[in-house]
Amino acid sequence: MQQTLATVNEDVRQQEKQVQTVRVLTTEVRRGASLVTASRTLQHEAMVDMKAKSKLHRTFTFWRVRRPYKWYIFSDALLICQRSSGRYPFRQRKLFMLRDVEVRGSNASTLRSTRKGSLEGEEEEARQRQGRPKREKPVVLVLTTVGHAERQYKCWAGSEEAMSAIVAKVEALSLDLQAAAAKKHAVAL
């Protein structure tokens, strides 16, 4: 009896996740309905500032302008969206399969050292009073796409906790996908 209840509860939780995924993709993301699949479920959402590393004529590398994005982390993919005007609050910018990305956090101590009250924070305030450009905050996340179109992004989450949650969720889902692929491969043999 308890086994049956546990199975039913798990099925209900899975259906609730699928309903939430469909709701988010059809009401928040322009053209998001095309991303709905039976196995895709929303695992995490976060607002993240990003900028991309670009090359000019194969020799000159530069970082593009930092912009805010919303990350939707699904069971198999990372959807990156930008604010939009109109019916939908966000529009799709990039869709990466989790097997093709690596997300890693940077050293948390560098984040703490630039907060107000520290020597660096006072120096930063002096720079702003003098009209000099503000220095960038330390990088909190680095997103790297792998494969034929390798690209690197610097990313900033709202807090150290948000950064840790993103990194942990992507790592856990990537491990789950690798284990499922290995199991599928072993069954095929």
Side-chain angles (χ1 to χ4, degrees):
M1 178 79 162
Q2 286 184 344
Q3 178 73 20
T4 304
L5 287 175
T7 303
V8 169
N9 285 340
E10 183 59 36
D11 289 346
V12 169
R13 280 192 289 275
Q14 188 63 26
Q15 286 177 345
E16 288 171 350
K17 282 184 178 182
Q18 288 173 330
V19 167
Q20 179 191 17
T21 301
V22 170
R23 183 193 58 76
V24 165
L25 287 174
T26 57
T27 62
E28 289 186 19
V29 180
R30 187 182 334 160
R31 296 188 187 113
S34 64
L35 300 174
V36 175
T37 66
S39 62
R40 183 171 289 153
T41 56
L42 181 64
Q43 302 291 316
H44 192 77
E45 299 177 46
M47 290 301 296
V48 177
D49 288 354
M50 297 175 63
K51 66 180 181 178
K53 189 175 192 177
S54 295
K55 286 189 175 182
L56 186 64
H57 303 293
R58 297 184 190 175
T59 56
F60 181 68
T61 302
F62 65 97
W63 289 94
R64 294 185 177 221
V65 175
R66 178 175 164 175
R67 299 187 192 285
Y69 294 91
K70 183 155 188 181
W71 283 20
Y72 295 96
I73 302 172
F74 295 98
S75 51
D76 64 338
L78 170 62
L79 175 63
I80 299 173
C81 296
Q82 194 171 26
R83 286 221 179 268
S84 173
S85 58
R87 180 176 171 210
Y88 298 98
F90 297 97
R91 63 186 169 102
Q92 298 177 38
R93 296 301 294 168
K94 299 279 184 187
L95 177 68
F96 298 114
M97 301 313 289
L98 288 182
R99 68 176 181 270
D100 298 332
V101 299
E102 176 187 313
V103 177
R104 61 183 166 79
S106 67
N107 186 352
S109 64
T110 60
L111 180 66
R112 281 189 218 103
S113 69
T114 59
R115 292 192 176 134
K116 283 189 178 183
S118 67
L119 185 59
E120 292 86 358
E122 292 170 11
E123 181 183 311
E124 188 59 43
E125 288 176 13
R127 288 177 65 82
Q128 289 176 1
R129 282 193 301 269
Q130 295 169 358
R132 296 191 313 201
K134 185 176 180 179
R135 285 191 201 154
E136 258 180 26
K137 296 176 185 173
V139 176
V140 177
L141 296 169
V142 176
L143 168 66
T144 306
T145 60
V146 295
H148 70 327
E150 189 170 314
R151 191 129 191 220
Q152 190 175 35
Y153 300 86
K154 288 182 181 178
C155 310
W156 294 262
S159 67
E160 193 173 327
E161 293 79 25
M163 180 266 302
S164 297
I166 291 168
V167 171
K169 184 56 76 176
V170 171
E171 285 176 351
L173 291 169
S174 295
L175 288 174
D176 290 347
L177 289 171
Q178 289 172 3
K183 185 178 179 180
K184 187 176 178 181
H185 182 10
V187 170
L189 295 177

